[in-house]
Amino acid sequence: SQPLSGHQAAELQSKVVPSKQILHSDNMEMEPETMETKSVTDYFNKLHMGSLVYSCTSKRKNK
Amino acid sequence: HVRYRMEASCLELALEGERLCKAGDCRAGVSFFEAAVQVGTEDLRTLSAIYSQLGNAYFYLHEYAKALEYHHHDLTLARTIGDLLGEAKASGNLGNTLKVLGNFEEAIVCCQRHLDISRELNDKVGEARALYNLGNVYHSKGKNVASAGTHDPGDLPDDVKNALQKAANYYEENLTIVTELGDRAAQGRAFGNLGNTHYLLGNFRSAVLAHEQRLLIAKEFGDRSAERRAYSNLGNAYIFLGEFETASEYYKRTLQLARQLKDRAVEAQACYSLGNTYTLLQDYEKAIDYHLKHLVIAQELNDKIGEGRACWSLGNAYTALGNHDQAIHFAERHLEISREVGDRSGELTARLNLSDLQMVLGLSYSTNNSMMSESHVVENSFNGTRPRAGRRHSMENMELMKLTPEKKSSRE
C-alpha cells in the first residue's frame, strides 16, 4: 500500500476526537431512589404490644 | 402463652432487623427479618411491615428479584387488610423495583397507583414522592430506549423525547410540592434528575441551571457525594455547550472530591472525562496525562473495559501529537483488550486505527486476518474529506463540531 500524503496524515490527526457516546452518555450521575418505609412499631397494636411487653417482663422477673 | 411468646419473638426479631438496617447493615437485618417471618405472626400489619423492610433491604443489596417478591407480598397483604396507605407505599416500592428491572410499563402502573392513593388520602408528602418516582421511571425508560441506538443528547427519536419530557414534567410537579413543603433534600434530588433529563433532551442551559441548584443544596447539607455528582453533571453539560474550559474546571472539582472521598472508580471516571476534555481543547499533553492516570486506576480495579477505552484514547492522543510509536503501542493494546472482552466494535475500531497508522508510517503491518485487506480497500476509497458513516467512533464528534463553530475555525 502507498503511504499517505502529508495532507492525508493531517487529516488522520484532525479526526482524533473522543467519542461523544463514550464521553457523555454513560457517566450521568443520577440521584438516589427514595423507597417508602414501614416499621413494625407503626403497625403494631399498641395495646396488644403493651400486654405482650408486660407478659414478657413479668416472666423474666419470675425466672 | 405459646402464641404470645411466638408473637413476642417475631416482634423482637423484626425490631432487631429494623435496628440493623437503620445502622446500615442490611445483610444482617435481612437474616433477622427472615427469622421473624419463619416464626410468624398473626398480626398482618406487622407482617406487612416486615415484608416491606425485607423488600427494601434486598433493594439496597441490589437483589432485585427478591425485592420484587417481598414488595409484592406486602402489596397483597396491604390490600387484604384494606390498608390504603400501606398499599400506596407498597405500590411505590414495587414500582421502583420494576423500574430497575427494566419493566417500565408495570412500573408506571404501580407508581401511578402510589400517586392516586396519595392524592385520595390528601397526603402531600406521599404525592411528591410518587411524582419523583414517576419521573425516575420515565427518565429510565427514555434513557433505555435511547441507549439502544447511538444517539447524542438532544438528537433523539420521538418516543424517547416523549418519555423524557414526561419525566421533566413529573420532576417539575414534584418540585412545586416539595418547595411548598420546604423539603430541601427532596428539592436537591429533583433538581439533579431534572438536570440530567434536560441534558438528555439537549436543553443544556436548563441542565446547567438545574445542576447549579442541586450544587447549592448539596453545599447546604454538606453532602460531598451530591456535590461531586453536581460538578460532574455540570461538566457534561458544558461540554455540549462547547465551553470546554468551564467543563474542565468542573471536572477538576469532581476529581478533587473523588480523591477526598477515596472513591477510585469515580476518580478514574473524572480523569477520563478530563482527558477527553483536554483532547477537545487540543491540549494533547494534558489529555495524555489524565488518560494515563485513568489507565493506572482501571488496571488497579481490573476494569478491562475502562482499560480498553484508556488505550484507545491514548492511541488517539499520541496520533494527534504525531508520536506514532506510542500510538501504535496503545492501538495494539486496545485491539488485544477488545478481543479479550469480546468487544467487536472496539476490535474493529482498533484495527482501523492500526491500519491508518500503518498508512502514515508506510508500513506493511502483518496480521493474519482478512480485516486488514478489507480496510485497505476502505482506505483507498477514502477521499479524506467525507468520512464513511460508522467508520469509527471518533467520527461522531464531527457532529460536536457543529455545536462549536469557534473550535471548527481554529482547527484549520
Side-chain angles (χ1 to χ4, degrees), chain B residues 305-333:
Chain B
I305 298 201
E307 196 182 337
R309 281 180 185 179
C311 291
W312 176 61
S313 305
L314 283 161
N316 285 342
Y318 279 118
T319 301
L321 283 178
N323 184 338
H324 296 115
D325 290 348
Q326 285 287 23
I328 285 192
H329 165 75
F330 282 110
E332 282 175 340
R333 188 78 193 102

Side-chain angles (χ1 to χ4, degrees), chain A residues 5-58:
Chain A
S5 66
H7 168 74
Q8 283 168 308
E11 183 63 34
L12 172 62
Q13 288 193 13
S14 74
K15 288 184 308 198
V16 179
V17 187
S19 156
K20 274 193 287 180
Q21 279 301 315
I22 288 184
L23 188 51
H24 297 288
S25 0
D26 57 356
N27 67 333
M28 214 169 38
E29 303 251 13
M30 295 296 285
E31 298 294 325
E33 283 105 352
T34 50
M35 303 300 281
E36 302 307 306
T37 53
K38 295 180 183 182
S39 157
V40 291
T41 50
D42 291 347
Y43 290 96
F44 204 75
N45 178 322
K46 292 286 186 288
L47 205 74
H48 181 189
M49 187 168 168
S51 70
L52 262 178
V53 171
Y54 174 77
S55 74
C56 287
T57 47
S58 61

